[in-house]
Amino acid sequence: MSNLRFVLASNNKGKLKEMREILAELGIEVMSQKEAGIASEPEEDGTTFEENAIIKARAAMEASGLPAIADDSGIAVDALNGEPGIYSARYGDCGSDEERVEYLLKNMENEEHRAAKFVSSIAVAFPNGDVLTTLGECHGTLTYAPIGENGFGYDPIFYMEQFGRTLAQVSAEEKNSVSHRGRALRAMKEKLTEYFKENTIC
Ligand code: IMP
C-alpha cells in the first residue's frame, strides 16, 4: 500500500495541505492536478455534494489514469431551507468571499433562527471503477456581522459554541479538529484502510 499516489481534483493549496497530512498516514502521496499534468474542470452538475465530489474525482482519475480524490463543500442555512448548499461558491453571483458573506447576511437580516452547518463530501475514484465517498458536517450559528481574520469563505460569520468564537477566530488545528472537511477526511482515511485490506491497488 505504500508509495500509492493519488491526484487531488483541485489546485487549492489549502486542500492539498490538509489531504497530504491525513493521507500520508496511509502512505499515500497526494499530487495536485498541476503536478499530475492535467487540467480537469468538469461541469459540476450534480444535485448533492456527494454527486459533485464523485464527478470531480472521476474526471481527474480518467484524465490522469491514477486514483483521484475530490471534495465538494458548502454551507447550508436552516432558515433558508438549506441554501446556499451546493451553490455556496457562486451564491448570489458574487465575485468574492466578502460579497458572498454580505449577501448571506442580507438574506438573514430579519431572521432570529440562525442555525447553519458546513457540509463536505469527499470522493475517491479508482481506475478499476470503484468509488468511495464520505460525508462530514460541522454545526454552528450565523453571526450578524463578520468577525475574525483566519480561514476563508463563510468562516467569519460561523460561530461555534464550543470555541465561543467564529471559525475565523480559531487556529487551523482547532478548525481541522471539528470541521466538516476534517471529519470527512478522517472518515475517508478509515474507509481507505478497510478498502486496502481487501483490494490491491498498484
Ligand atoms: P468548494 O468546495 O471549494 O467549491 O467550496 C464551496 C464554497 O463553500 C466556497 O464558497 C467556500 O467558501 C465555502 N466553504 C467550503 N468550506 C468552507 C469552510 O471551511 N469555511 C468557509 N467556507 C467554506
Side-chain angles (χ1 to χ4, degrees):
M1 188 177 73
S2 62
N3 299 326
L4 187 57
R5 290 191 303 165
F6 278 18
V7 177
L8 171 63
S10 165
N11 283 315
N12 181 307
K13 290 201 172 88
K15 288 186 185 178
L16 192 61
K17 182 168 176 284
E18 281 179 21
M19 303 235 180
R20 272 196 174 136
E21 282 167 5
I22 292 199
L23 295 184
E25 296 166 18
L26 296 182
I28 296 171
E29 182 194 334
V30 183
M31 294 183 289
S32 66
Q33 293 207 139
K34 206 169 158 195
E35 288 166 334
I38 60 166
S40 158
E41 273 193 50
E43 193 182 346
E44 294 174 35
D45 55 3
T47 58
T48 62
F49 291 110
E50 188 181 44
E51 282 177 15
N52 281 336
I54 293 172
I55 287 169
K56 287 190 261 188
R58 277 215 178 107
M61 178 274 289
E62 279 161 12
S64 66
L66 293 169
I69 184 165
D71 97 307
D72 196 57
S73 55
I75 189 167
V77 180
D78 275 16
L80 301 176
N81 299 317
E83 284 185 8
I86 59 169
Y87 304 107
S88 295
R90 18 186 172 148
Y91 193 36
D93 274 335
C94 299
S96 69
D97 279 348
E98 289 74 19
E99 284 170 8
R100 277 182 282 276
V101 161
E102 281 311 314
Y103 184 71
L104 179 53
L105 287 177
K106 182 106 190 63
N107 288 338
M108 289 292 287
E109 213 165 32
N110 299 312
E111 182 57 61
E112 282 177 17
H113 178 63
R114 304 188 72 83
K117 64 180 176 183
F118 278 122
V119 182
S120 164
S121 176
I122 302 223
V124 171
F126 292 99
N128 66 4
D130 287 348
V131 171
L132 306 178
T133 61
T134 57
L135 197 74
E137 295 190 350
C138 176
H139 294 255
T141 51
L142 297 183
T143 57
Y144 288 86
I147 313 167
E149 306 294 329
N150 303 340
F152 68 101
Y154 301 92
D155 283 343
I157 56 169
F158 197 85
Y159 177 87
M160 291 193 70
E161 188 72 42
Q162 73 189 92
F163 295 126
R165 286 170 285 166
T166 69
L167 280 185
Q169 294 177 291
V170 302
S171 66
E173 289 71 28
E174 283 174 309
K175 181 177 168 184
N176 286 343
S177 70
V178 298
S179 80
H180 47 314
R181 206 166 9 260
R183 289 179 201 276
L185 253 183
R186 287 189 289 276
M188 180 55 80
K189 186 183 151 192
E190 299 304 316
K191 264 202 180 174
L192 284 168
T193 303
E194 289 307 309
Y195 182 82
F196 289 136
K197 280 184 192 160
E198 290 160 20
N199 298 272
T200 309
I201 307 288
C202 30

